[in-house]
Amino acid sequence: MAEEEGPTVELRQRKKPKSSENKEFAKEEKIKDTPIPERAPKHVLFQRFAKVFIGCLAAVTSGMMYALYLSAYHERKFWFSNRQELEREITFQGDSAIYYSYYKDMLKAPSFERGVYELTHNNRTVSLKTINAVQQMSLYPELIASVLYQATGGIEIIEPVYFYIGIVFGLQGIYVTALFVTSWLMSGTWLAGMLTVAWFVINRVDTTRIEYSIPLRENWALPYFACQVAALTGYLKSNLNTYTERFCYLLMSASTYTFMMMWEYSHYLLFLQAISLFLLDSFSLEQSDKVHEVYKIYVFSLFLGYLLQFENPALLVSPLLSLVAALMLAKYLQLNVKKGTFVAKMIKVINFYLVCTLTVTFNIVMKMFVPHKENGHMLKFLEVKFGLNMTKNFTMNWLLCQESLQAPSQDFFLRLTQSSLLPFYILVLIVCFLSMMQVNFRRINGKSVKETVTLEDGQIGGRPEIIYHVIHTILLGSLAMVIEGLKYLWTPYVCMLAAFGVCSPELWMTLFKWLRLRTVHPILLALILSMAVPTIIGFSLWKEFFPKLMTELSELQEFYDPDTVELMTWIKRQAPVAAVFAGSPQLMGAIKLCTGWMVTSLPLYNDDDLLKRNENIYQIYSKRSAEDIYKILTSYKANYLIVEDAICNEVGTMRGCRVKDLLDIANGHVVCEEGDKLTYSKYGRFCHEVKINYSPYVNYFTRVYWNRSYFVYKINTVISFQS
């Protein structure tokens, strides 16, 4: 060993003027670390193994317990096992009903190939429209679930609905396990993972929408994103051995691609992650090569997704692809300019501006050459959301009125504060951010910065994985402060980051370094606090919230909606098989699932034609003539019209956000500047007038069924036009 060390040291000394300090430090560390495993005592190896084993067991157990908790809570909430199939299906609301209906269609298909063909050439859902449901609605989860159900012999063991929701609950368990592992990797203790899970479950109203809409795409996709973040966290850590680094890379590649296939908006979330990695590359030069390997994963996933998603042009014109292309080109320009020259220094200075300019340029060029149907309504929505434009358009105003698209309420912050999550998150974020800026300023001023940060250094902001998470959580948090629906992306990582911070001795040591603590040994105090603080938090959470969780599981609730059950039963028994129904999009989703009949619209908001259909069908609640409504409905070949009393007589809590109010604004029947003053209209509100059964309404529509909530009218084919 001594013969090998001499030449190595001599070679390093000869190349010292040409090599960087970081490379020298890495080589020295490698030489120092080589013999350590051989000299490590057996009891140290056993302690390490025991720590990893207990941590993995706790992570897997936490995920399983959470999945079982969700299953038990769902059973108690809906009394699911004691319901008939129709009553179970009614619990799937809105777009969730559409997703589950296609899962049922796949199980009814004579073969998998035939089922996929019928979904990709679907003309049995929306009248006068053939859609590729797999591409438009991202139905890959339903395809996979149907294959697994039939391949595993689930037909003889479990009902299809239990298999379907069981997979989703299982994925949520993986979600929690991935957050556990991420916090564990960052803090070095599985105690942080336990605290992460506790905060996640306690704040589940703000961390997940699984309780309200099980089949949502985000519930299928976000567990894979959490796995990708966990793998990325491990991949960015310094001094990884080759096998661990390779495992993290492979897991990151697989989870990135799977995440992109599961959710149509996944590339936007990966775009934010790419921005975070770009800023990490700017702050932490040591991880530059790893960051660019992640960029390659993005490119590979985008193009493979493009091919397997029926050549989806949205992936080619996505900002993620443009940003990654710009970053790679900027990297190439830096590498191909001689270091130390004036040009190299200028490129380094204008790197941020160069990347931004190239990203916008590439995106514009791609949109010029790639035919695409961009969601223009989303851009218009953002303009109206931020006050850049005003509109009377029904769809835009209806979206603005959705609770998930408004700014977070005070209740949201109050809930996070009551569980102690928000105060500790703010503390951890401030310490990590200030430490990150301190390390960066030292690097800019030319001071040497260690590649491997030790506990004594008190520089938690010098670790690349910490820099990435700080930037990422700031970006997600900024968006969540504008649109409440995005809190489901941000809050889980708030739980993870806060738990990591309070359980990390490095964070406390960084704080003590700033405070210049001298009365007590800072390292000892940091170790004590990293154990004591999470323990105190855990006991307080257990005492306050555990009884509430147990109470939720003990209370037997009941989902009672007899009017909708009666409506679906009447449709299945009385309506012709070829009938087409018109009504609100949410109700149409339920009709598609429960009866299989064709409808005129769907509760989907990523297609301009469907958005226009929704707006036109909603006119049944406006102040329009019977002839106008008749022409709209017959243009979509509708045979039956369903009027919902809840919409027609809606008493909204938010002023001006009722459907009929938005329709009056769009149709010019309300002058907003003078309050809710109605202008003259010779027609009453259609949903009221049609119930009275007088001419001309009876000439166009014949009531065939009604109950307390729904009025069903047959649209007459032969009309006597009288006034």
Side-chain angles (χ1 to χ4, degrees), residues 163-174:
F163 187 84
Y164 184 85
I165 64 177
I167 293 178
V168 184
F169 290 155
L171 285 174
Q172 299 308 302
I174 295 175

Side-chain angles (χ1 to χ4, degrees), residues 82-105:
N82 293 282
R83 292 294 183 183
Q84 299 296 322
E85 182 180 5
L86 178 60
E87 294 175 316
R88 292 175 183 172
E89 292 177 349
I90 289 176
T91 62
F92 295 100
Q93 301 287 321
D95 50 350
S96 297
I98 298 298
Y99 298 130
Y100 183 70
S101 72
Y102 286 122
Y103 167 72
K104 283 180 56 181
D105 292 344

Side-chain angles (χ1 to χ4, degrees), residues 586-605:
Q586 288 72 24
L587 181 60
M588 294 301 100
I591 289 177
K592 170 63 178 70
L593 168 60
C594 298
T595 68
W597 264 244
M598 193 176 293
V599 295
T600 57
S601 59
L602 291 175
L604 299 172
Y605 311 106

Side-chain angles (χ1 to χ4, degrees), residues 68 87 91 96 103 117 163 170 173 262 296 299 329 397 399 428 463 479 534 571 578 592 617 625 646 649 682 687 690:
L68 292 174
E87 294 175 316
T91 62
S96 297
Y103 167 72
Y117 178 83
F163 187 84
M262 291 291 174
K296 294 177 184 178
V299 175
L329 180 58
N397 289 326
L399 288 173
V428 173
R463 292 166 53 187
L479 293 176
I571 292 174
K592 170 63 178 70
I617 299 300
S625 67
N649 299 318
K682 61 180 180 180
C687 62
V690 73

Side-chain angles (χ1 to χ4, degrees), residues 94-142:
D95 50 350
S96 297
I98 298 298
Y99 298 130
Y100 183 70
S101 72
Y102 286 122
Y103 167 72
K104 283 180 56 181
D105 292 344
M106 283 297 300
L107 295 181
K108 294 176 182 177
S111 66
F112 177 77
E113 293 78 9
R114 183 62 186 175
V116 173
Y117 178 83
E118 290 178 353
L119 291 185
T120 54
H121 302 78
N122 187 279
N123 58 2
R124 299 180 180 179
T125 300
V126 183
S127 61
L128 302 178
K129 189 176 179 66
T130 300
I131 59 176
N132 183 342
V134 177
Q135 177 185 1
Q136 187 166 342
M137 304 177 195
S138 300
L139 296 180
Y140 298 97
E142 282 66 33

